[in-house]
Amino acid sequence: MPEIAKLPGISGFVVGPNDFCMSMNTPERTYSVSILEVQEQFDKIGAALSGSSKLFGVSGVYSERFVSDWVARGGNYMAMNFDFHYISNGAKNVIGSTRNMLDAMGRAY
């Protein structure tokens, strides 16, 4: 990996944790902070890219742990969540707000 980071014409790297986990054939076949083998590989990627002056990013689902882990590895940009997360979370917020309003009004739903 350090050799790849030194190649001219490569301006950055993006890690897709779910894709990476699928290629490792992890039991869950999806990213989970509980899989130590995967965490070790991500740490190696971060170490290999540190000091390379290349962009180093990750895409994934937001959590405080996700952000802190990747920042600690040297990640300097992140693509958070996906369109379906924004849509489903927006719908949950509307439903929750509506229920709260109806509860405050003493109305059944």
Side-chain angles (χ1 to χ4, degrees):
M1 173 78 73
E3 295 79 23
I4 294 172
K6 293 176 186 174
L7 291 173
I10 295 178
S11 57
F13 298 86
V14 177
V15 175
N18 284 324
D19 296 329
F20 191 90
C21 289
M22 288 178 66
S23 70
M24 287 184 66
N25 280 329
T26 61
E28 298 172 19
R29 297 189 60 86
T30 187
Y31 176 66
S32 171
V33 296
S34 64
I35 304 173
L36 295 179
E37 178 186 13
V38 172
Q39 295 299 326
E40 290 170 359
Q41 293 302 312
F42 291 155
D43 292 342
K44 287 180 183 179
I45 292 169
L49 295 175
S50 71
S52 71
S53 74
K54 307 282 181 159
L55 291 173
F56 170 36
V58 62
S59 65
V61 178
Y62 171 81
S63 74
E64 288 182 15
R65 170 84 187 262
F66 183 85
V67 172
S68 64
D69 282 353
W70 287 100
V71 168
R73 291 182 182 113
N76 52 24
Y77 72 92
M78 296 181 191
M80 287 296 162
N81 290 347
F82 306 97
D83 54 354
F84 61 88
H85 288 110
Y86 291 113
I87 292 168
S88 66
N89 288 337
K92 288 175 190 175
N93 288 337
V94 168
I95 291 168
S97 295
T98 303
R99 286 182 173 165
N100 290 340
M101 182 186 68
L102 293 173
D103 285 343
M105 295 171 66
R107 305 293 295 261
Y109 49 88

